Amino acid sequence: MSANITSRLPAELLAFADEVGVEGAVAVEGGRTGWTVGGLPAERTRLVRAPVGVLQVEPAEMTVRVLAGTTVADLQAALAEVGQCVNLPAAPGAVEGGTVRATVGATAGATVGGVLALGCSGTRRLGWGPLRDAVLQVRYISAEGLVVSAGGPTVKNVTGFDLPRLLVGSLGTLGLMGEVMLRTRPLPDAEVWLAGSADPVAVRDALYRPTTILWDGTTTWVRLSGHRGDVDAQVGVARGLGLAGCEGPPELPPYRRSVRPGQVRHLTGDFVAEVGVGMVHVPEPPVSAPLEPAVAELHRRIKAIFDPTGRLNPGRNPALR
């Protein structure tokens, strides 16, 4: 790494790289809100913490640079001061309910880097898109102890592998995130929940970009958020479908599995499904199907390229969720 590049990196990031070092098994410890997903770190793995701090908020550009150890709650609080937020869920299974200006995806303890490493989009995915779409740039520590920068602040910035998207959901097995640049969005002026027995697919077809639709086989819950006038208009449509205002969403079961969005209406048993997304929350851990040989080989080759000695988060497997 050249001196001029090093001089532009935050001191906290350089200190983090020194702490990670170049030898020995190492894993990043955050808020432990998704600590068991994909397996626990192997014994004698050294635990480190990512640096903390909101580095730069650019309201006009709708971006924020933040160190990965910063809690989601602290980041959202900083962005709320300029009327913005970022599409990061609080933790696996979090519904991000409550008062939107105080709690958009914010649960004490969950860190930005941890949420991105886990890669589970929140229940706003239907309206706000998947988690990885919020990531513009990542600076991570490689298995060789180097600070690597990938991505950039512009939309058309990829001329090869899109490493930020690859790192999201990798459970820290390819690199340890130290700093990220995220795309922000305006805080919604209004947010309401409605519920009723209406058909969830009919509800989705009738409403314009609902933020969330949940269904448990009997009841449909809808979250509408955005400009006050738009939300009020959509509430009128929802009421015409038989939905009425409610205090909030149901409690989500602790485990998740994916199905094709069109298969949601054929589900049975106890579940809460995210309609239009294909994510299903269930009370028991789903049985993980083995990866197809070609996919397993691709996983192995990628891991061998990024972490040939296997020192980053040994014991964790992104395929086990």
Side-chain angles (χ1 to χ4, degrees), residues 10 21 37 57 65 70 75 97 100 125 132 138 149 156 158 160 175 189 213-214 231 240 252 254 264 279 311 317 320:
V37 176
V57 178
R65 288 178 58 227
T70 308
L75 173 59
V100 66
R125 178 171 179 171
R132 61 172 58 93
V138 171
S149 181
K156 296 182 179 180
V158 178
D189 294 330
I213 300 178
L214 304 175
V231 170
L252 297 185
V264 166
M279 183 60 63
R311 65 180 298 249
N317 185 350
L320 299 177

PDB file of all heavy atoms in Angstrom, residues 10 21 37 57 65 70 75 97 100 125 132 138 149 156 158 160 175 189 213-214 231 240 252 254 264 279 311 317 320:
ATOM      1  N   PRO A  10      -8.851   6.498   7.353  1.00  0.00           N
ATOM      2  CA  PRO A  10      -9.045   6.871   8.752  1.00  0.00           C
ATOM      3  C   PRO A  10      -8.059   6.122   9.653  1.00  0.00           C
ATOM      4  O   PRO A  10      -7.767   4.938   9.432  1.00  0.00           O
ATOM      5  CB  PRO A  10     -10.484   6.445   9.038  1.00  0.00           C
ATOM      6  CG  PRO A  10     -11.142   6.363   7.702  1.00  0.00           C
ATOM      7  CD  PRO A  10     -10.072   5.940   6.745  1.00  0.00           C
ATOM      8  N   GLY A  21      -3.994  -8.132  11.835  1.00  0.00           N
ATOM      9  CA  GLY A  21      -2.690  -8.738  11.599  1.00  0.00           C
ATOM     10  C   GLY A  21      -2.663  -9.638  10.387  1.00  0.00           C
ATOM     11  O   GLY A  21      -3.544  -9.590   9.514  1.00  0.00           O
ATOM     12  N   VAL A  37     -25.707 -17.513  13.414  1.00  0.00           N
ATOM     13  CA  VAL A  37     -26.056 -17.804  12.016  1.00  0.00           C
ATOM     14  C   VAL A  37     -24.816 -18.289  11.272  1.00  0.00           C
ATOM     15  O   VAL A  37     -23.757 -17.668  11.310  1.00  0.00           O
ATOM     16  CB  VAL A  37     -26.621 -16.553  11.323  1.00  0.00           C
ATOM     17  CG1 VAL A  37     -26.896 -16.842   9.853  1.00  0.00           C
ATOM     18  CG2 VAL A  37     -27.890 -16.096  12.024  1.00  0.00           C
ATOM     19  N   VAL A  57     -21.544  12.430   6.570  1.00  0.00           N
ATOM     20  CA  VAL A  57     -22.907  12.395   6.059  1.00  0.00           C
ATOM     21  C   VAL A  57     -23.018  13.439   4.956  1.00  0.00           C
ATOM     22  O   VAL A  57     -22.671  14.609   5.158  1.00  0.00           O
ATOM     23  CB  VAL A  57     -23.936  12.685   7.166  1.00  0.00           C
ATOM     24  CG1 VAL A  57     -25.351  12.686   6.594  1.00  0.00           C
ATOM     25  CG2 VAL A  57     -23.819  11.661   8.295  1.00  0.00           C
ATOM     26  N   ARG A  65     -20.721   7.728   5.062  1.00  0.00           N
ATOM     27  CA  ARG A  65     -19.562   6.876   5.319  1.00  0.00           C
ATOM     28  C   ARG A  65     -19.523   6.591   6.805  1.00  0.00           C
ATOM     29  O   ARG A  65     -19.572   7.501   7.635  1.00  0.00           O
ATOM     30  CB  ARG A  65     -18.258   7.567   4.887  1.00  0.00           C
ATOM     31  CG  ARG A  65     -18.066   7.655   3.390  1.00  0.00           C
ATOM     32  CD  ARG A  65     -16.790   8.400   3.031  1.00  0.00           C
ATOM     33  NE  ARG A  65     -15.621   7.757   3.633  1.00  0.00           N
ATOM     34  CZ  ARG A  65     -14.665   8.397   4.286  1.00  0.00           C
ATOM     35  NH1 ARG A  65     -14.715   9.710   4.446  1.00  0.00           N
ATOM     36  NH2 ARG A  65     -13.643   7.733   4.785  1.00  0.00           N
ATOM     37  N   THR A  70     -19.935   0.675  14.201  1.00  0.00           N
ATOM     38  CA  THR A  70     -20.986   1.589  14.654  1.00  0.00           C
ATOM     39  C   THR A  70     -22.309   0.840  14.745  1.00  0.00           C
ATOM     40  O   THR A  70     -22.654   0.057  13.860  1.00  0.00           O
ATOM     41  CB  THR A  70     -21.128   2.759  13.670  1.00  0.00           C
ATOM     42  OG1 THR A  70     -19.845   3.343  13.454  1.00  0.00           O
ATOM     43  CG2 THR A  70     -22.093   3.805  14.194  1.00  0.00           C
ATOM     44  N   LEU A  75     -26.158   5.038  13.920  1.00  0.00           N
ATOM     45  CA  LEU A  75     -26.145   5.531  12.552  1.00  0.00           C
ATOM     46  C   LEU A  75     -27.487   6.146  12.186  1.00  0.00           C
ATOM     47  O   LEU A  75     -27.556   7.240  11.611  1.00  0.00           O
ATOM     48  CB  LEU A  75     -25.804   4.396  11.583  1.00  0.00           C
ATOM     49  CG  LEU A  75     -25.914   4.732  10.096  1.00  0.00           C
ATOM     50  CD1 LEU A  75     -24.996   5.894   9.720  1.00  0.00           C
ATOM     51  CD2 LEU A  75     -25.618   3.505   9.241  1.00  0.00           C
ATOM     52  N   GLY A  97     -40.571  -2.187  13.673  1.00  0.00           N
ATOM     53  CA  GLY A  97     -41.819  -1.497  13.924  1.00  0.00           C
ATOM     54  C   GLY A  97     -41.592  -0.251  14.760  1.00  0.00           C
ATOM     55  O   GLY A  97     -40.495   0.223  14.940  1.00  0.00           O
ATOM     56  N   VAL A 100     -41.273   5.497  13.255  1.00  0.00           N
ATOM     57  CA  VAL A 100     -40.264   5.388  12.210  1.00  0.00           C
ATOM     58  C   VAL A 100     -39.095   6.330  12.437  1.00  0.00           C
ATOM     59  O   VAL A 100     -37.944   5.989  12.191  1.00  0.00           O
ATOM     60  CB  VAL A 100     -40.901   5.623  10.831  1.00  0.00           C
ATOM     61  CG1 VAL A 100     -41.393   7.048  10.671  1.00  0.00           C
ATOM     62  CG2 VAL A 100     -39.904   5.294   9.736  1.00  0.00           C
ATOM     63  N   ARG A 125     -38.006  -4.978   2.556  1.00  0.00           N
ATOM     64  CA  ARG A 125     -37.424  -5.298   1.254  1.00  0.00           C
ATOM     65  C   ARG A 125     -38.403  -5.111   0.105  1.00  0.00           C
ATOM     66  O   ARG A 125     -38.012  -4.691  -0.995  1.00  0.00           O
ATOM     67  CB  ARG A 125     -36.894  -6.733   1.255  1.00  0.00           C
ATOM     68  CG  ARG A 125     -36.310  -7.141  -0.082  1.00  0.00           C
ATOM     69  CD  ARG A 125     -35.605  -8.465  -0.031  1.00  0.00           C
ATOM     70  NE  ARG A 125     -35.080  -8.826  -1.339  1.00  0.00           N
ATOM     71  CZ  ARG A 125     -34.270  -9.844  -1.583  1.00  0.00           C
ATOM     72  NH1 ARG A 125     -33.872 -10.602  -0.585  1.00  0.00           N
ATOM     73  NH2 ARG A 125     -33.852 -10.112  -2.795  1.00  0.00           N
ATOM     74  N   ARG A 132     -28.261  -5.387   0.024  1.00  0.00           N
ATOM     75  CA  ARG A 132     -27.019  -5.139  -0.702  1.00  0.00           C
ATOM     76  C   ARG A 132     -27.123  -3.925  -1.625  1.00  0.00           C
ATOM     77  O   ARG A 132     -26.110  -3.338  -1.976  1.00  0.00           O
ATOM     78  CB  ARG A 132     -26.609  -6.372  -1.512  1.00  0.00           C
ATOM     79  CG  ARG A 132     -27.604  -6.811  -2.560  1.00  0.00           C
ATOM     80  CD  ARG A 132     -27.022  -7.915  -3.430  1.00  0.00           C
ATOM     81  NE  ARG A 132     -26.616  -9.056  -2.628  1.00  0.00           N
ATOM     82  CZ  ARG A 132     -27.404 -10.099  -2.384  1.00  0.00           C
ATOM     83  NH1 ARG A 132     -28.635 -10.127  -2.857  1.00  0.00           N
ATOM     84  NH2 ARG A 132     -26.963 -11.106  -1.686  1.00  0.00           N
ATOM     85  N   VAL A 138     -17.041  -0.473   0.071  1.00  0.00           N
ATOM     86  CA  VAL A 138     -16.585  -1.184   1.268  1.00  0.00           C
ATOM     87  C   VAL A 138     -15.071  -1.088   1.349  1.00  0.00           C
ATOM     88  O   VAL A 138     -14.365  -1.225   0.338  1.00  0.00           O
ATOM     89  CB  VAL A 138     -17.001  -2.679   1.228  1.00  0.00           C
ATOM     90  CG1 VAL A 138     -16.340  -3.453   2.358  1.00  0.00           C
ATOM     91  CG2 VAL A 138     -18.508  -2.814   1.332  1.00  0.00           C
ATOM     92  N   SER A 149     -10.064  -1.529  -0.800  1.00  0.00           N
ATOM     93  CA  SER A 149     -11.225  -0.689  -1.095  1.00  0.00           C
ATOM     94  C   SER A 149     -11.914  -1.196  -2.352  1.00  0.00           C
ATOM     95  O   SER A 149     -11.255  -1.496  -3.354  1.00  0.00           O
ATOM     96  CB  SER A 149     -10.784   0.765  -1.280  1.00  0.00           C
ATOM     97  OG  SER A 149     -11.905   1.593  -1.539  1.00  0.00           O
ATOM     98  N   LYS A 156     -22.579   3.836 -11.476  1.00  0.00           N
ATOM     99  CA  LYS A 156     -21.881   3.023 -12.474  1.00  0.00           C
ATOM    100  C   LYS A 156     -20.390   3.009 -12.149  1.00  0.00           C
ATOM    101  O   LYS A 156     -19.577   3.669 -12.788  1.00  0.00           O
ATOM    102  CB  LYS A 156     -22.133   3.579 -13.872  1.00  0.00           C
ATOM    103  CG  LYS A 156     -23.589   3.508 -14.296  1.00  0.00           C
ATOM    104  CD  LYS A 156     -23.786   4.025 -15.703  1.00  0.00           C
ATOM    105  CE  LYS A 156     -25.244   3.926 -16.124  1.00  0.00           C
ATOM    106  NZ  LYS A 156     -25.460   4.433 -17.489  1.00  0.00           N
ATOM    107  N   VAL A 158     -18.636  -0.086 -11.331  1.00  0.00           N
ATOM    108  CA  VAL A 158     -18.117  -1.447 -11.306  1.00  0.00           C
ATOM    109  C   VAL A 158     -17.519  -1.793 -12.660  1.00  0.00           C
ATOM    110  O   VAL A 158     -18.194  -1.731 -13.682  1.00  0.00           O
ATOM    111  CB  VAL A 158     -19.225  -2.454 -10.943  1.00  0.00           C
ATOM    112  CG1 VAL A 158     -18.668  -3.866 -10.967  1.00  0.00           C
ATOM    113  CG2 VAL A 158     -19.810  -2.136  -9.577  1.00  0.00           C
ATOM    114  N   GLY A 160     -15.716  -4.849 -13.197  1.00  0.00           N
ATOM    115  CA  GLY A 160     -15.211  -6.178 -12.876  1.00  0.00           C
ATOM    116  C   GLY A 160     -16.098  -6.789 -11.817  1.00  0.00           C
ATOM    117  O   GLY A 160     -17.310  -6.647 -11.847  1.00  0.00           O
ATOM    118  N   GLY A 175     -13.488 -11.325   3.998  1.00  0.00           N
ATOM    119  CA  GLY A 175     -12.834 -10.094   4.411  1.00  0.00           C
ATOM    120  C   GLY A 175     -13.581  -9.521   5.598  1.00  0.00           C
ATOM    121  O   GLY A 175     -14.783  -9.778   5.774  1.00  0.00           O
ATOM    122  N   ASP A 189     -42.394  10.576   5.835  1.00  0.00           N
ATOM    123  CA  ASP A 189     -43.195  11.510   6.624  1.00  0.00           C
ATOM    124  C   ASP A 189     -44.212  10.782   7.488  1.00  0.00           C
ATOM    125  O   ASP A 189     -44.576  11.245   8.571  1.00  0.00           O
ATOM    126  CB  ASP A 189     -43.953  12.472   5.693  1.00  0.00           C
ATOM    127  CG  ASP A 189     -43.013  13.390   4.943  1.00  0.00           C
ATOM    128  OD1 ASP A 189     -41.939  13.707   5.483  1.00  0.00           O
ATOM    129  OD2 ASP A 189     -43.338  13.791   3.808  1.00  0.00           O
ATOM    130  N   ILE A 213     -45.640  -6.425   3.201  1.00  0.00           N
ATOM    131  CA  ILE A 213     -46.867  -7.204   3.312  1.00  0.00           C
ATOM    132  C   ILE A 213     -46.509  -8.528   3.985  1.00  0.00           C
ATOM    133  O   ILE A 213     -45.659  -9.279   3.489  1.00  0.00           O
ATOM    134  CB  ILE A 213     -47.516  -7.486   1.942  1.00  0.00           C
ATOM    135  CG1 ILE A 213     -47.877  -6.188   1.231  1.00  0.00           C
ATOM    136  CG2 ILE A 213     -48.770  -8.345   2.119  1.00  0.00           C
ATOM    137  CD1 ILE A 213     -48.476  -6.392  -0.157  1.00  0.00           C
ATOM    138  N   LEU A 214     -47.133  -8.803   5.113  1.00  0.00           N
ATOM    139  CA  LEU A 214     -46.930 -10.052   5.846  1.00  0.00           C
ATOM    140  C   LEU A 214     -48.233 -10.849   5.847  1.00  0.00           C
ATOM    141  O   LEU A 214     -49.321 -10.273   5.862  1.00  0.00           O
ATOM    142  CB  LEU A 214     -46.496  -9.771   7.288  1.00  0.00           C
ATOM    143  CG  LEU A 214     -45.243  -8.911   7.487  1.00  0.00           C
ATOM    144  CD1 LEU A 214     -45.033  -8.619   8.968  1.00  0.00           C
ATOM    145  CD2 LEU A 214     -44.022  -9.590   6.887  1.00  0.00           C
ATOM    146  N   VAL A 231     -49.442   8.243   1.528  1.00  0.00           N
ATOM    147  CA  VAL A 231     -49.833   7.210   2.490  1.00  0.00           C
ATOM    148  C   VAL A 231     -51.334   7.269   2.747  1.00  0.00           C
ATOM    149  O   VAL A 231     -52.020   6.238   2.768  1.00  0.00           O
ATOM    150  CB  VAL A 231     -49.038   7.357   3.797  1.00  0.00           C
ATOM    151  CG1 VAL A 231     -49.607   6.441   4.885  1.00  0.00           C
ATOM    152  CG2 VAL A 231     -47.570   7.035   3.562  1.00  0.00           C
ATOM    153  N   GLY A 240     -60.585  -0.110   1.496  1.00  0.00           N
ATOM    154  CA  GLY A 240     -61.540  -0.663   0.547  1.00  0.00           C
ATOM    155  C   GLY A 240     -61.393  -2.165   0.367  1.00  0.00           C
ATOM    156  O   GLY A 240     -62.334  -2.835  -0.072  1.00  0.00           O
ATOM    157  N   LEU A 252     -42.446 -12.086  14.709  1.00  0.00           N
ATOM    158  CA  LEU A 252     -41.972 -13.034  13.715  1.00  0.00           C
ATOM    159  C   LEU A 252     -41.337 -14.247  14.377  1.00  0.00           C
ATOM    160  O   LEU A 252     -40.567 -14.105  15.332  1.00  0.00           O
ATOM    161  CB  LEU A 252     -40.943 -12.375  12.792  1.00  0.00           C
ATOM    162  CG  LEU A 252     -41.424 -11.210  11.941  1.00  0.00           C
ATOM    163  CD1 LEU A 252     -40.324 -10.750  11.011  1.00  0.00           C
ATOM    164  CD2 LEU A 252     -42.668 -11.580  11.148  1.00  0.00           C
ATOM    165  N   PRO A 254     -38.571 -17.215  14.865  1.00  0.00           N
ATOM    166  CA  PRO A 254     -37.135 -16.918  14.895  1.00  0.00           C
ATOM    167  C   PRO A 254     -36.315 -17.385  13.709  1.00  0.00           C
ATOM    168  O   PRO A 254     -35.181 -16.934  13.529  1.00  0.00           O
ATOM    169  CB  PRO A 254     -36.670 -17.624  16.171  1.00  0.00           C
ATOM    170  CG  PRO A 254     -37.644 -18.753  16.358  1.00  0.00           C
ATOM    171  CD  PRO A 254     -38.952 -18.229  15.863  1.00  0.00           C
ATOM    172  N   VAL A 264     -45.807 -18.755  -1.939  1.00  0.00           N
ATOM    173  CA  VAL A 264     -46.218 -18.333  -0.595  1.00  0.00           C
ATOM    174  C   VAL A 264     -47.642 -18.762  -0.286  1.00  0.00           C
ATOM    175  O   VAL A 264     -47.947 -19.213   0.824  1.00  0.00           O
ATOM    176  CB  VAL A 264     -46.055 -16.797  -0.451  1.00  0.00           C
ATOM    177  CG1 VAL A 264     -46.795 -16.294   0.780  1.00  0.00           C
ATOM    178  CG2 VAL A 264     -44.583 -16.432  -0.365  1.00  0.00           C
ATOM    179  N   MET A 279     -39.531 -14.597   1.479  1.00  0.00           N
ATOM    180  CA  MET A 279     -38.923 -14.950   2.761  1.00  0.00           C
ATOM    181  C   MET A 279     -40.030 -15.391   3.709  1.00  0.00           C
ATOM    182  O   MET A 279     -41.069 -14.727   3.830  1.00  0.00           O
ATOM    183  CB  MET A 279     -38.167 -13.759   3.343  1.00  0.00           C
ATOM    184  CG  MET A 279     -37.435 -14.066   4.641  1.00  0.00           C
ATOM    185  SD  MET A 279     -36.208 -15.371   4.445  1.00  0.00           S
ATOM    186  CE  MET A 279     -35.077 -14.590   3.278  1.00  0.00           C
ATOM    187  N   ARG A 311      -8.105 -18.274   7.649  1.00  0.00           N
ATOM    188  CA  ARG A 311      -7.985 -17.632   8.958  1.00  0.00           C
ATOM    189  C   ARG A 311      -9.158 -16.711   9.286  1.00  0.00           C
ATOM    190  O   ARG A 311      -9.312 -16.302  10.440  1.00  0.00           O
ATOM    191  CB  ARG A 311      -6.681 -16.836   9.031  1.00  0.00           C
ATOM    192  CG  ARG A 311      -6.558 -15.643   8.094  1.00  0.00           C
ATOM    193  CD  ARG A 311      -5.214 -14.942   8.273  1.00  0.00           C
ATOM    194  NE  ARG A 311      -5.039 -14.417   9.599  1.00  0.00           N
ATOM    195  CZ  ARG A 311      -5.021 -13.105   9.908  1.00  0.00           C
ATOM    196  NH1 ARG A 311      -5.158 -12.201   8.943  1.00  0.00           N
ATOM    197  NH2 ARG A 311      -4.860 -12.716  11.139  1.00  0.00           N
ATOM    198  N   ASN A 317     -20.075 -20.841   7.923  1.00  0.00           N
ATOM    199  CA  ASN A 317     -20.383 -21.240   6.560  1.00  0.00           C
ATOM    200  C   ASN A 317     -21.578 -20.433   6.068  1.00  0.00           C
ATOM    201  O   ASN A 317     -22.706 -20.628   6.550  1.00  0.00           O
ATOM    202  CB  ASN A 317     -20.703 -22.736   6.503  1.00  0.00           C
ATOM    203  CG  ASN A 317     -20.924 -23.225   5.083  1.00  0.00           C
ATOM    204  OD1 ASN A 317     -21.023 -22.439   4.141  1.00  0.00           O
ATOM    205  ND2 ASN A 317     -21.024 -24.529   4.919  1.00  0.00           N
ATOM    206  N   LEU A 320     -24.973 -22.113   5.340  1.00  0.00           N
ATOM    207  CA  LEU A 320     -25.810 -22.663   6.412  1.00  0.00           C
ATOM    208  C   LEU A 320     -26.575 -21.524   7.080  1.00  0.00           C
ATOM    209  O   LEU A 320     -26.009 -20.752   7.854  1.00  0.00           O
ATOM    210  CB  LEU A 320     -24.952 -23.391   7.449  1.00  0.00           C
ATOM    211  CG  LEU A 320     -24.154 -24.582   6.920  1.00  0.00           C
ATOM    212  CD1 LEU A 320     -23.300 -25.171   8.025  1.00  0.00           C
ATOM    213  CD2 LEU A 320     -25.085 -25.640   6.325  1.00  0.00           C
TER     214      LEU A 320
END
